[in-house]
Structures are given as structure tokens and as C-alpha cells.
Amino acid sequence: MNQWLAVVLAVASALCLAVGTQQQGTAVADRVPGRLSPRALPALLRSPRWLLGLGLLGAGTALNVTALGLATVTVVQPIGVVALVVTTLLHARHRRLRINRRTWAAIGMCTAGGAVFVTCAVSATDPARTISRWAEHTVVLALVVLVCVLGTAALLFRGSLGGTFYVVGAGILYGFVAVLVRLTLTRIQGSTGGPLDDVNWAAVGVGAAAAVLGGWFVQSAFAGGPPDVVIAGLTVLDPMVGVLLGMLVLGEAADGFSVVTGVLMAVAGAVAIVGVAVLSQHHPEVLARRAAPAGPRPPAPGAPAADPAAPDRAALHRPGSHA
């Protein structure tokens, strides 16, 4: 019963994340010309749309954490694919875009792959499995290395990194964060003394650092592409990382896990990845940017007029550029 309640909470979380992502994505794209830099933060903090998105993302995160307290990472994280459909519809309406057939096909592939993945995950995992300290330390150490590598790359090569790097980096980081949230909640629920006696504070600290870095990556990705393409990558990569860690490191695989189930999950994941690739190439806004002549991007409905002295966004997003 707890697992299905977790599914309901995860769906509610996905809806909050979808609306929040669309609001923040359009705010970043409208106010930040070119690549995101720390100097752009004051402008974003003055944007009601960006702040609304931040609040919704916070609510979605809280719901997701609650869901992770009731079910395994393998069950909860793949449900985020629901956010893709909602974000795509909201963004198309905001930008007055017509969703083409290939975009619908890509969304269908992501959604179908995610649905099959969730169905298999519910029956293939055992939330009652005890997680060893060795497994927890392994995840923490791996995340420390990952944060150092990705953070260093973002600092050294920020002038040449494209949106794909930021989406992939954020998806991997969030997958680890979800696992650490699950581990921390498990320690709190299973504590025999005070509720915080068994908490691994190193895991909390590393998870917080990874969440902050992942958040910056997401905002950077918003500056380089449509929010629905960004969230498509996140909702596919995040659960896959969580599932691999859950089954291979944390030992969440149930006794009844079979080769057939594993193959179905792998195929479903592959279908979802292909869907993301198709979406990133055939999204109507991506196609419009490719076809647009060099020059400033037209402002979105209700957005402030573009600064003539601002960098050329269209040139930045043409093939061969950083995106």
C-alpha cells in the first residue's frame, strides 16, 4: 500500500516540477542572453515567473522526498516522466508553438518507456531490504568524485560547454541525490535512539552540494534550450542512475527479480532515451532556431524587448555552436 501511495505523491511531485520547470525555463530564456553567469542571478531574482517556478520546484521536491520515504528510488524516480508531457504542452502554449508529429512521437516514447519501467520496478524491488553502511559509503564517495569532476569541468570549460553537458550532468547528480535522500530517510525511520542519531551527515552534506550544482546546471540548460527538452533528459537520466545504484549498490532488487524483468527494464529505458534524442532534434522551437536567420531572437509574449547590444542568441544556438 505504501508503494502505491508513493506513486500518487510522485505524480503530484511531477506536476509541480513540470509547471515550475516551464516557468523558470521561460524566465531564464527571456532574461538571460546566451550563457548563464552569476551576474544574471539578480535579474532572475526580480522575475516573478522565476520565483513562482522556484516555489513550485520546492513543493515538488518536498512531495518527492515524502514519496522516497515510502518506496524505493527505483519506484519513485521514473514517475517524473509525467512532467515531460505537462511541460511540453505548457511551453507550446506559452510560445504559441505547434507540436509536430515527431515531437509527439518522442513524448510517447518517453512516456511509454517510463510507464513500463515503473511497472517492472514495482515488482522488481524490495523496499524492506536493509541497506548496509558499505553501500552508503560507496554512494557518498562516488558522488564526491562526481561533484569534483563535473564542477571542475564547468569552471574550466564553461565557455565551450553545451546544453547537453548540463542536462546529462544534472540528471546524474539528481539520481545520486535521490538515492542519498532515500538512505537518510531510511536511517531516520530505523533509528533506535534519537531520530538523527544514525544520520550520515557526510551524505547529507555531499547531497546538498550535488543538489546545488545540479540546480545551476539546470538553469544553464534553460539558457540553451526549451524547458521540455531539458526536463526530458532529466526525467530519463535521473531514474536510470537511481535504479542502477539501487539495484547494483544498495541491493534493492527483490528475490523474484528475473532476467526477463531486467531485459524489459533495459528496453524500456532505451526507448525513453531514444525519445529524448528525437525530442532534442525535432522539437518545434529547436527547428525554429535552426531556420532563423542571424539576429536577435524575437521576445516571447509579455517579455521585455530585447537589448540591441545583447549577444546574438540565434547564432549561439545554431548547429556547431555551444548547444
Side-chain angles (χ1 to χ4, degrees):
M1 182 62 184
N2 281 347
Q3 288 208 67
W4 291 111
L5 177 58
V7 168
V8 172
L9 292 173
V11 170
S13 169
L15 294 176
C16 289
L17 294 175
V19 181
T21 296
Q22 193 276 330
Q23 293 293 309
Q24 281 205 326
T26 53
V28 172
D30 293 342
R31 290 177 176 265
V32 180
R35 296 182 178 90
L36 183 66
S37 69
R39 290 178 295 179
L41 288 178
L44 294 177
L45 291 173
R46 292 192 299 269
S47 169
R49 182 184 299 164
W50 191 86
L51 293 174
L52 173 61
L54 181 64
L56 289 169
L57 291 177
T61 300
L63 289 169
N64 195 64
V65 168
T66 305
L68 286 169
L70 298 173
T72 63
V73 173
T74 311
V75 172
V76 173
Q77 293 308 102
I79 300 175
V81 74
V82 173
L84 169 59
V85 180
V86 179
T87 304
T88 300
L89 294 175
L90 290 174
H91 188 64
R93 180 178 180 182
H94 176 77
R95 295 292 189 198
R96 295 173 183 161
L97 299 171
R98 181 179 179 182
I99 304 177
N100 55 49
R101 290 183 179 179
R102 289 188 177 181
T103 297
W104 280 122
I107 293 172
M109 293 173 71
C110 292
T111 305
V116 173
F117 202 98
V118 169
T119 302
C120 294
V122 170
S123 61
T125 57
D126 182 5
R129 288 288 179 92
T130 301
I131 300 172
S132 68
R133 287 289 184 180
W134 174 88
E136 185 174 3
H137 294 326
T138 300
V139 173
V140 171
L141 180 60
L143 185 55
V144 168
V145 174
L146 187 64
V147 168
C148 291
V149 170
L150 292 179
T152 301
L155 286 174
L156 296 179
F157 307 107
R158 61 182 180 274
S160 58
L161 294 174
T164 301
F165 168 83
Y166 292 114
V167 172
V168 172
I172 295 174
L173 288 170
Y174 284 158
F176 272 85
V177 170
V179 169
L180 289 183
V181 169
R182 170 68 179 169
L183 287 171
T184 301
L185 291 174
T186 300
R187 296 300 179 200
I188 292 174
Q189 293 169 351
S191 177
T192 56
L196 302 180
D197 287 352
D198 292 333
V199 171
N200 184 341
W201 293 106
V204 174
V206 173
V212 171
L213 182 61
W216 177 257
F217 280 10
V218 168
Q219 299 299 318
S220 298
F222 285 155
D228 35 342
V229 175
V230 176
I231 203 168
L234 295 179
T235 54
V236 168
L237 291 172
D238 178 339
M240 285 188 177
V241 172
V243 166
L244 288 175
L245 290 173
M247 290 191 164
L248 300 180
V249 180
L250 304 183
E252 289 183 342
D255 293 333
F257 181 79
S258 65
V259 174
V260 174
T261 302
V263 170
L264 284 175
M265 294 178 71
V267 171
V271 169
I273 290 176
V274 172
V276 173
V278 173
L279 185 64
S280 67
Q281 294 297 315
H282 298 284
H283 188 281
E285 186 170 337
V286 174
L287 296 177
R289 289 181 180 180
R290 289 177 184 167
R297 176 183 170 185
D307 182 357
D312 179 2
R313 284 184 61 86
L316 287 170
H317 295 299
R318 289 200 303 270
S321 68
H322 79 285

